[in-house]
């Protein structure tokens, strides 16, 4: 049974749809990605899921509850790390966690969370004096203090340097290992590809595609491509005649072949049978970014 069900969600701001029509379900224990460029409607979607905003139409069920009607009960079970976590600058790490813990009937132990998220040395440091990475770690600890079944992480790694981003990815995987279901809102393709079980690609307030990262790439129909050189010329028609091949291009002495998922095997097999050796072989599979362009008809920066 899904832990989150969103059906035909629609949310307007001044008669303009921020979310036009969004439907998806999230299974227990999944890392579910909501991926899209700025302004696509990602934050509005998760705000409706967590009960922070009231949808104009559509239904949302989280652990069988309606976030608007059962907000109090859901707050016990859903941890939210929102974009730009801001706390009073003088509040220390320990005070923030103890304050948040006091909101819950059965909170996690703040001291344990401080240790777990590597904040022991910073426990008496005021929020205003933490680095970006430390603030992110605190915001994760705050999202987990209620011992949630689900956490929503909105643009968790935005503004972090590459090292801190990788550390955050590790933390996200650790949260999942504890059995927590995760909604990960991101506009980073590599992050979504690396972490998510399934990704909803959001564009203009709608889901353009929803699948596993591999599934999205396969679905975009971009197939595989390979480039190589040969010591002897390859006769015209030898490769273009293969059913797996879509396109053959020659650039100097380099041959580039694009086709379906089986194109590499077909080309290498055919050339080998004709005793033509391949040099400098490079195989390229399409990336999630290629899939995004193919699926939405726009570039990621649009
Ligand atoms: N409170 C608001 N009032 C009016 N318009 C809003 C409000 N919040 C968001 N919008 C608009 O709704 C659209 C969707 O915004 P939303 O924040 O959901 O997108 P997003 O995909 O999360 O983008 P970002 O990554 O930039 O936050 C945008 O065009 C945005 O300008």
């Amino acid at each position: 049974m899904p832990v989150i069900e969103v059906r035909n969600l629609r949310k307007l701001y001044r008669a303009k749809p921020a979310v036009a029509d969004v439907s998806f379900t999230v299974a227990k224990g999944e890392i579910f990605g909501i991926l899209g460029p700025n302004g696509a409607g990602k934050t509005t979607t998760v705000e409706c899921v967590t009960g922070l905003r009231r949808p104009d139409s559509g239904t949302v069920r989280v652990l069988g509850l309606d976030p608007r009607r059962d907000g109090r009960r859901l707050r016990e079970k859903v941890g939210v790390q929102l974009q730009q976590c801001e706390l009073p600058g003088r509040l220390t790490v320990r005070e923030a966690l103890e304050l948040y813990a006091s909101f819950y009937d059965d909170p996690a132990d703040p001291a344990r969370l401080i240790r777990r998220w590597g904040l022991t040395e910073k426990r008496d440091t005021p929020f205003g004096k933490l680095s970006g990475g430390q603030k992110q770690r605190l915001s994760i600890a705050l999202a987990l203090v209620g011992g949630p079944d689900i956490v929503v992480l909105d643009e968790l790694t935005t503004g972090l340097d590459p090292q801190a981003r990788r550390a955050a990815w590790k933390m996200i995987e650790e949260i999942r290992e504890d059995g927590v279901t995760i909604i990960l809102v991101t506009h980073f393709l590599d992050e979504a590809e690396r972490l998510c079980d399934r990704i909803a690609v959001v564009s203009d307030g709608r889901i353009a595609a929803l699948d596993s990262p591999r599934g999205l790439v396969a679905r975009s129909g971009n197939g595989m491509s390979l480039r190589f050189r040969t010591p002897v010329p390859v006769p015209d028609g030898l490769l273009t005649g293969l059913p797996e091949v879509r396109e053959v291009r020659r650039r100097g002495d380099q041959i580039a072949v694009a086709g379906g998922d089986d194109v590499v095997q077909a080309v290498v097999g055919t050339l080998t049978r004709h005793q033509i050796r391949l040099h400098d072989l490079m195989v390229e599979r399409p990336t999630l970014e290629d899939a995004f362009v193919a699926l939405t008809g726009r570039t990621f920066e649009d």
Side-chain angles (χ1 to χ4, degrees):
M1 203 188 93
V3 290
I4 298 173
E5 275 185 277
V6 174
R7 237 180 263 140
N8 304 114
L9 177 67
R10 188 171 168 82
K11 174 74 192 170
L12 312 172
Y13 293 122
R14 288 183 216 98
K16 226 181 130 251
V19 176
D21 183 5
V22 161
S23 302
F24 62 87
T25 59
V26 180
K28 187 173 183 328
E30 253 191 317
I31 301 186
F32 185 84
I34 300 186
L35 173 75
N38 288 337
K42 307 180 297 294
T43 297
T44 306
T45 300
V46 293
E47 284 174 344
C48 291
V49 168
T50 52
L52 291 170
R53 285 195 192 277
R54 186 185 291 278
D56 287 299
S57 58
T59 53
V60 178
R61 289 288 173 276
V62 180
L63 300 165
L65 301 171
D66 177 343
R68 293 307 302 189
R69 279 207 319 263
D70 311 303
R72 252 187 78 80
R73 282 174 69 196
L74 268 185
R75 271 192 285 282
E76 290 281 327
K77 297 168 190 284
V78 181
V80 183
Q81 174 272 328
L82 285 176
Q83 217 171 347
Q84 288 150 11
C85 155
E86 275 308 327
L87 290 170
R90 287 206 209 149
L91 199 66
T92 67
V93 167
R94 188 168 37 176
E95 286 165 349
L97 276 160
E98 283 170 358
L99 176 68
Y100 273 55
S102 72
F103 302 152
Y104 296 94
D105 291 337
D106 185 19
D109 175 14
R112 231 192 113 234
L113 282 171
I114 285 173
R115 278 198 304 279
R116 165 89 192 265
W117 298 105
L119 291 163
T120 305
E121 279 177 21
K122 297 287 164 190
R123 66 180 167 228
D124 296 317
T125 303
F127 180 76
K129 297 216 165 125
L130 297 176
S131 72
Q134 289 157 356
K135 282 184 182 164
Q136 300 299 72
R137 293 212 294 277
L138 175 59
S139 75
I140 295 182
L142 292 172
L144 295 174
V145 78
D149 296 330
I150 299 171
V151 293
V152 176
L153 306 174
D154 191 357
E155 301 283 0
L156 178 69
T157 66
T158 298
L160 295 186
D161 61 47
Q163 207 184 345
R165 276 184 75 214
R166 288 191 173 270
W169 292 355
K170 203 161 151 269
M171 289 181 229
I172 293 167
E173 282 167 341
E174 282 174 32
I175 300 172
R176 192 247 289 270
E177 279 162 25
D178 289 344
V180 178
T181 305
I182 299 171
I183 292 201
L184 182 75
V185 177
T186 184
H187 66 267
F188 291 120
L189 290 146
D190 56 346
E191 182 164 298
E193 190 159 23
R194 152 90 192 256
L195 292 174
C196 297
D197 298 304
R198 288 185 309 140
I199 301 172
V201 177
V202 180
S203 174
D204 292 329
R206 293 174 196 277
I207 294 187
L210 198 169
D211 209 329
S212 64
R214 274 175 151 268
L216 287 175
V217 171
R219 211 191 252 239
S220 69
N222 281 334
M224 302 278 288
S225 59
L226 66 162
R227 281 185 285 152
F228 52 87
R229 294 190 166 80
T230 52
V232 292
V234 175
D236 280 345
L238 185 60
L239 300 179
T240 45
L242 295 172
E244 294 86 353
V245 169
R246 194 173 61 230
E247 190 186 11
V248 178
R249 274 183 296 157
R250 290 169 198 266
R251 218 177 290 136
D253 63 345
Q254 193 181 55
I255 303 178
V257 185
D261 285 343
D262 301 330
V263 68
V264 180
Q265 219 175 349
V267 168
V268 173
T270 302
L271 294 177
T272 309
R273 267 197 306 283
H274 286 78
Q275 278 148 21
I276 301 174
R277 296 235 303 263
L278 290 86
H279 293 311
D280 306 330
L281 173 64
M282 285 210 292
V283 175
E284 286 164 1
R285 63 163 41 255
T287 62
L288 195 53
E289 182 162 6
D290 299 327
F292 182 88
V293 173
L295 292 166
T296 65
R298 51 196 292 186
T299 64
F300 203 70
E301 283 74 31
D302 276 355

